Amino acid sequence: MIHLVLGGARSGKSRYGEALVRQYTALGFDACYVATAQALDDEMATRIAKHQAGRADDGIEWQLFEESLALTALLKRLAKPGRVILVDCLTLWLTNQLLASNLNIDDEPAPTEWNATDFATSTFAVSTSDDKAHASWQAEKTAFVDSLVELEGVVILISNEVGSGIVPLGELSRQFVDEAGWLNQAVATLADNVTLVVAGLPLALKPL
């Protein structure tokens, strides 16, 4: 069973997801927490520490797994009858994937003297690299979405709803918003339940 929980920043989506897990553990399910965040700076490390402290007092005996990229493989390994898995969150996983794809792109050295040939060559190289990065993410997303229908037990996926705000200025940020929306749509299509959390209040989107 797949349950997608959507919401904006500080909407209460993670807390709602954890409440769902508590309902299953009351029935005897064991619980896994899959964290996709990476502590790449002090601010994120502080956020992660707060989440960890909160889980320590929530009464759930979590098995913690940290995975920033290979989420599909991990879920295939963990999912089984009698287990509930909470993934927090898909949009951080997407961020990790997009950043990893862009880091694999080699920067072209700036030409010492501009000419039409240099410009055409560098433009083609960037375009080719962008195509490879896009293809890499699309393959990863397809593998993830396709795997969901095969997972046993209960999988609760937390994801940000980011399409209701201002369109960002940066290219990578705009790509993130687009890809997050398409990822959420793909998961929602096959999910058994979809819930939107606003101001801490859950709104059932599926089933209606």
Side-chain angles (χ1 to χ4, degrees):
M1 199 278 284
I2 304 298
H3 192 150
L4 175 63
V5 179
L6 300 167
R10 309 282 73 81
S11 62
K13 59 186 181 299
S14 294
R15 184 177 293 109
Y16 177 73
E18 292 168 7
L20 292 175
V21 171
R22 193 172 291 106
Q23 294 176 15
Y24 284 100
T25 57
L27 298 174
F29 282 57
D30 66 75
C32 294
Y33 189 102
V34 176
T36 60
Q38 299 183 84
L40 300 180
D41 55 36
D42 291 342
E43 189 269 344
M44 182 56 76
T46 299
R47 285 175 177 264
I48 291 174
K50 287 182 178 179
H51 274 275
Q52 291 172 337
R55 292 198 302 275
D57 298 326
D58 65 7
I60 300 174
E61 294 185 10
W62 294 105
Q63 300 176 61
L64 174 63
F65 298 86
E66 297 178 343
E67 182 51 65
S68 60
L69 292 171
L71 179 60
T72 305
L74 178 61
L75 290 180
K76 286 182 176 180
R77 179 164 63 87
L78 292 180
K80 68 176 185 178
R83 169 172 288 171
V84 54
I85 302 171
L86 177 67
V87 178
D88 197 358
C89 68
L90 290 187
T91 33
L92 280 174
W93 174 64
L94 167 61
T95 299
N96 299 335
Q97 290 288 341
L98 294 180
L99 291 177
S101 296
N102 280 273
L103 287 174
N104 289 332
I105 299 173
D106 294 327
D107 292 332
E108 289 293 311
T112 56
E113 184 175 329
W114 188 92
N115 59 54
T117 301
D118 289 336
F119 178 77
T121 301
S122 62
T123 301
F124 175 76
V126 171
S127 176
T128 301
S129 297
D130 286 346
D131 289 343
K132 289 181 179 179
H134 180 73
S136 174
W137 159 243
Q138 292 303 318
E140 190 69 37
K141 182 179 77 171
T142 298
F144 173 76
V145 173
D146 289 348
S147 73
L148 293 180
V149 297
E150 304 172 0
L151 300 180
E152 297 183 295
V154 178
V155 180
I156 300 169
L157 304 168
I158 308 297
S159 190
N160 286 80
E161 175 49 63
V162 298
S164 299
I166 298 173
V167 177
L169 294 176
E171 180 180 355
L172 184 57
S173 297
R174 289 194 299 273
Q175 182 188 7
F176 166 78
V177 171
D178 289 344
E179 295 298 343
W182 289 325
L183 175 61
N184 288 342
Q185 288 187 55
V187 174
T189 297
L190 57 84
D192 301 281
N193 295 283
V194 180
T195 302
L196 175 66
V197 181
V198 181
L201 302 176
L203 174 64
L205 303 181
K206 182 183 181 182
L208 295 176

